Amino acid sequence: MNLKFTKMQAYGNDYIYIDAIHQRVEDPGRLAKIISDRHFGVGSDGLVLICPSDTCDFRMRIFNPDGTEAEMCGNALRSTAKFVYFHKLTKKESLTIETLGGIQRVELEIREGEVTNISACIGKPELRSERIPVISDQDTFMDRRVQVLDRTFRMSSLSWGNPHTVLLVEDVDALDVEKYGRAVEYLECFPRRTNVTFAQMADAGHVRIREWERGTGETLGCGTGCCSAVVVGNMLGLCGRNVVCHQPGGDLQVEWDEQDEVHMTGPSHVVFEGEYSYEAK
């Protein structure tokens, strides 16, 4: 079968998007493995299927490069909203999108018929340690000192359905992200492994991060990593609730509002479109 796909990028995250409303997609886990292999010339951080929903405007299914289905990704969510508008699956500028991590709300900013900015409300962060998941006798697993190899870090952890651990550093540019990211990912307190956000609190309105994604390595950008850094920084009194988060893939605006919901705002780009010949097993 020939599947039409669109490759989209948001802050260093490349995802392959497929309209699964008008196309039949079989064995998406296997397909995700194939298209995530950069030797095939397609390459992505994962596969996103746009599906019908009984409760929302659309349903988003996201698959990791290893073929497993993921809960939710903020950058993928924002690009999903642009995809459905770009491909005229909707004329709405305010959307609800169903994910395994819950129902998300997305607002599109339209100028002259083009999507220029996308704001996604990804909900409230989960702060209970039993839901992160971690092994800890602390209820919130916040503000803990931890020894990692030859360094001691100030570490916090929270979850958006997928765990993120924030380690505070003085200079993210000078950090060996691979050395310490890999070590933190496999700490015994993370039985399901964790994404690792190294965060430098520049001032009340600016945070700098670099992100180590579990099982993948350092990424150019991570929306939920930015949000995790801002939530932790605010809880520890190191930054405000409306923050520009700087990362190699681009700056993302993050707001943690008074209802404790987190919003991420920034653009998304269509990289290319094409067809992929795929035989399901």
Side-chain angles (χ1 to χ4, degrees):
M1 67 180 71
N2 288 331
L3 291 173
K4 293 181 179 180
F5 71 88
T6 301
K7 185 173 184 178
M8 303 186 74
Q9 183 180 82
Y11 295 102
N13 284 142
D14 287 334
Y15 286 94
I16 299 299
Y17 288 79
I18 294 178
D19 174 3
I21 298 174
H22 302 100
Q23 300 180 100
R24 187 178 69 181
V25 181
E26 298 178 1
D27 198 358
R30 176 171 169 269
L31 178 60
K33 289 182 181 181
I34 294 173
I35 65 172
S36 296
D37 188 335
R38 296 182 186 276
H39 294 292
F40 281 80
V42 179
S44 74
D45 295 315
L47 168 69
V48 177
L49 300 182
I50 312 299
C51 306
S53 172
D54 294 330
T55 57
C56 297
D57 294 306
F58 299 95
R59 178 184 174 207
M60 181 183 90
R61 296 185 67 190
I62 180 170
F63 293 85
N64 297 314
D66 63 2
T68 57
E69 189 163 2
E71 299 93 345
M72 192 273 293
C73 168
N75 283 339
L77 180 72
R78 291 189 303 103
S79 290
T80 294
K82 180 169 183 175
F83 178 95
V84 296
Y85 191 90
F86 180 80
H87 286 275
K88 297 180 172 56
L89 301 182
T90 184
K91 293 182 179 180
K92 297 174 66 173
E93 299 177 16
S94 297
L95 300 169
T96 55
I97 298 176
E98 178 186 359
T99 74
L100 284 182
I103 295 175
Q104 319 296 342
R105 305 191 308 275
V106 186
E107 299 285 337
L108 301 176
E109 183 178 322
I110 310 296
R111 293 182 184 174
E112 298 180 355
E114 297 292 330
V115 178
T116 58
N117 228 3
I118 310 143
S119 178
C121 175
I122 60 171
K124 299 180 180 181
E126 184 63 68
L127 301 175
R128 290 179 293 167
S129 63
E130 68 272 14
R131 294 288 300 276
I132 289 174
V134 297
I135 299 173
S136 172
D137 52 9
Q138 299 184 55
D139 291 337
T140 58
F141 199 62
M142 298 297 298
D143 201 16
R144 169 178 171 176
R145 300 281 176 174
V146 61
Q147 183 73 28
V148 180
L149 302 177
D150 58 343
R151 290 187 57 167
T152 299
F153 291 93
R154 189 176 181 180
M155 182 173 80
S156 300
S157 197
L158 51 88
S159 178
W160 308 92
N162 53 341
H164 277 267
T165 291
V166 179
L167 280 77
L168 302 183
V169 297
E170 293 184 357
D171 185 356
V172 291
D173 293 329
L175 185 73
D176 188 335
V177 171
E178 179 176 5
K179 174 182 176 180
Y180 295 105
R182 194 181 301 277
V184 173
E185 176 186 354
Y186 285 95
L187 286 178
E188 290 184 359
C189 60
F190 300 114
R192 287 175 49 197
R193 294 156 63 193
T194 183
N195 301 297
V196 186
T197 304
F198 296 98
Q200 174 186 342
M201 301 293 163
D203 56 48
H206 297 84
V207 173
R208 296 172 55 83
I209 77 160
R210 290 171 68 186
E211 182 77 13
W212 177 267
E213 185 176 338
R214 55 181 175 176
T216 301
E218 185 175 1
T219 65
L220 291 176
C222 177
T224 43
C226 287
C227 294
S228 298
V230 171
V231 169
V232 167
N234 184 266
M235 292 185 71
L236 298 179
L238 301 175
C239 72
R241 283 183 169 244
N242 195 332
V243 175
V244 177
C245 198
H246 306 277
Q247 55 187 337
D251 296 349
L252 191 65
Q253 186 75 34
V254 178
E255 181 183 2
W256 190 23
D257 66 24
E258 297 306 317
Q259 288 72 46
D260 286 337
E261 291 190 325
V262 179
H263 306 256
M264 59 168 76
T265 304
S268 173
H269 307 285
V270 175
V271 181
F272 64 81
E273 295 191 299
E275 290 191 4
Y276 190 78
S277 181
Y278 167 67
E279 295 298 328
K281 290 185 177 179

